[in-house]
Amino acid sequence: MAKRLVVIALCLAMEAVFQAANAEVPVIFIFGDSTADVGTNNFLPGSKARIDFPFNGIDFPNGKATGRFSNGLNSADLLAKLMGHKRSPPPFLSLDSASAVKRRSFRGLNFASGGSGLLDITGQTMLTLMKFGTPKDPSDFLQSKQKNVVPLREQIQQFHTVHGNLMDTMGPSGTENLLSKSLFFISTASNDIFGYYHSGSTIPKEEFISSLGLAYEKHLRTLLNLGARKFGIISVPPIGCCPSQRIYNATEGCLEELNEHARSFHATMGVLMEKLSCEYSDMKYSLGNTYEMTINVIENPALFNFKEVASACCGSGNLNAESFCEPKANLCSKRSEYLFWDLFHPTQTASKLAALTLYIGEQRFVSPINFAQLAAAA
């Protein structure tokens, strides 16, 4: 039965890729955190939230460390490939957007920034920066004016600049038409929840999750007012199962409290997206339940050809999760058998599975329509 399911999935995947290759390639705008960052933080001088060094990128073409938090391509790249792109559009900060939108080959931009979140404070504090290591003297960072990440609010401000560039190039009608057909992918909120959990905040969980929902709503309304109509929302996975969190559990099991936060956030997003779609009759969306997708893999690893779902492939210490992946880290030899590349992020193999599930998955994993249906929607 398991083999039959795998064969069916492969057939569907081939059909989906064939359809994408024969359809008009949509313009894609990508926002979010390290799960979608394709090098944004490389352009932030002094940022401690950078990963543009080995062994990262070991499976990227030419083994290049591009700033992706992965051994190769990430979910943003792989979703874009399924949509007909070579990989993710380039980082906004890597080029002149005014010139980029004038090119006939313009197919979108990526604004995602590793370490960022829905809240401005996420990624700008020592607490959240624990993911990337800390300076010898904490005051070095606290007194620094260097930008470490680009929070979602600023990412949308950057898109506002692109909107202006499009208006100058295509005019109001052309811009409205382009953006109404474009896909807006957003993958964020994990870092906000990490920060809340590890801060020992006294704010009740329900209140905090509600505040994230309100922040998300504000950002989405801004994009809607700028002409966005098709949203691919990627929710929070079971972050309590990351190797970095398992080491806090004496049994090396998942931190269920963190996972409960992730489930609550997904429920909040479901209500929010339904609410907005009622207000904007021409809005369409797909909500990816990465919690269910990832738990399914963790509970049934052999079905997906994974042999290790608890430890990181690259790192050091217990579960290879006590440091980030760097040139002196321990590196696993069979990366395709690992769910996690480093202490937080998936391998290219895992990201490929996630992208495919978002693209053609059933409603258990992505609803009310999948990303392929979203792209095809008029």
Side-chain angles (χ1 to χ4, degrees):
M1 181 62 178
K3 290 183 178 179
R4 183 171 177 269
L5 289 172
V6 171
V7 171
I8 291 172
L10 287 173
C11 291
L12 288 170
M14 291 174 66
E15 180 182 357
V17 173
F18 177 79
Q19 290 174 347
N22 287 276
E24 181 181 352
V25 179
V27 172
I28 299 175
F29 298 103
I30 300 172
F31 305 81
D33 54 29
S34 55
T35 56
D37 186 349
V38 294
T40 291
N41 290 3
N42 297 353
F43 299 92
L44 302 178
S47 172
K48 294 176 175 61
R50 292 173 60 165
I51 204 88
D52 52 337
F53 47 79
F55 292 108
N56 301 288
I58 190 171
D59 295 311
F60 195 83
N62 299 316
K64 184 179 180 181
T66 61
R68 289 166 171 82
F69 292 70
S70 172
N71 57 306
L73 300 177
N74 63 21
S75 58
D77 292 305
L78 294 158
L79 268 174
K81 286 187 71 172
L82 288 168
M83 299 291 176
H85 292 244
K86 181 179 179 180
R87 59 177 72 104
S88 166
F92 167 81
L93 293 180
S94 70
L95 41 73
D96 175 3
S97 62
S99 299
V101 300
K102 295 178 182 179
R103 299 174 188 162
R104 291 178 61 86
S105 60
F106 179 69
R107 287 293 180 267
L109 289 166
N110 187 316
F111 305 86
S113 172
S116 69
L118 285 163
L119 309 177
D120 282 1
I121 194 172
T122 300
Q124 305 294 352
T125 63
M126 281 302 301
L127 171 66
T128 307
L129 217 61
M130 67 183 179
K131 293 169 48 177
F132 307 104
T134 58
K136 294 180 180 179
D137 180 356
S139 65
D140 291 345
F141 174 76
L142 294 173
Q143 296 173 7
S144 173
K145 295 183 179 180
Q146 294 173 329
K147 179 181 287 294
N148 281 280
V149 305
V150 183
L152 187 58
R153 178 184 57 80
E154 290 187 28
Q155 293 177 36
I156 293 174
Q157 286 177 348
Q158 292 172 346
F159 174 73
H160 200 293
T161 298
V162 174
H163 181 272
N165 298 148
L166 289 169
M167 291 284 281
D168 291 341
T169 302
M170 307 176 71
S173 179
T175 299
E176 180 181 359
N177 182 56
L178 175 74
L179 296 182
S180 68
K181 297 177 180 178
S182 299
L183 299 174
F184 289 75
F185 295 158
I186 309 177
S187 177
T188 191
S190 292
N191 292 324
D192 301 285
I193 295 174
F194 277 131
Y196 166 75
Y197 178 80
H198 287 289
S199 70
S201 173
T202 58
I203 299 172
K205 181 201 77 174
E206 294 77 11
E207 184 178 334
F208 177 73
I209 297 298
S210 177
S211 73
L212 293 185
L214 291 171
Y216 218 134
E217 179 176 357
K218 181 179 180 180
H219 295 317
L220 288 172
R221 287 187 183 279
T222 299
L223 289 172
L224 283 161
N225 289 337
L226 289 170
R229 286 300 182 269
K230 300 169 77 170
F231 294 95
I233 305 296
I234 302 171
S235 194
V236 176
I239 53 179
C241 296
C242 291
S244 62
Q245 306 308 298
R246 287 178 180 265
I247 61 175
Y248 293 112
N249 190 332
T251 68
E252 296 183 352
C254 303
L255 290 184
E256 287 306 322
E257 188 175 352
L258 261 178
N259 284 352
E260 172 56 31
H261 294 348
R263 290 192 294 268
S264 296
F265 179 76
H266 180 78
T268 296
M269 288 306 300
V271 173
L272 171 59
M273 297 310 294
E274 187 172 351
K275 170 187 171 182
L276 290 175
S277 66
C278 288
E279 291 185 31
Y280 295 83
S281 59
D282 55 347
M283 170 186 154
K284 298 175 179 65
Y285 73 93
S286 298
L287 176 58
N289 190 342
T290 51
Y291 184 91
E292 283 297 322
M293 289 163 50
T294 309
I295 282 294
N296 189 38
V297 174
I298 290 173
E299 293 178 348
N300 305 284
L303 181 61
F304 302 96
N305 296 318
F306 288 109
K307 292 186 177 179
E308 180 54 66
V309 297
S311 297
C313 172
C314 186
S316 64
N318 188 28
L319 298 180
N320 244 10
E322 294 182 13
S323 72
F324 243 86
C325 182
E326 39 118 28
K328 295 182 180 180
N330 299 318
L331 178 67
C332 72
S333 59
K334 298 181 178 179
R335 295 180 286 279
S336 64
E337 296 180 355
Y338 277 69
L339 177 62
F340 290 98
W341 163 240
D342 61 23
L343 69 170
F344 282 96
H345 304 97
T347 56
Q348 176 177 270
T349 301
S351 293
K352 186 174 184 178
L353 176 61
L356 183 58
T357 306
L358 290 168
Y359 192 70
I360 60 171
E362 59 188 85
Q363 289 209 352
R364 173 188 173 191
F365 302 120
V366 54
S367 63
I369 57 176
N370 58 40
F371 281 41
Q373 294 167 328
L374 177 69

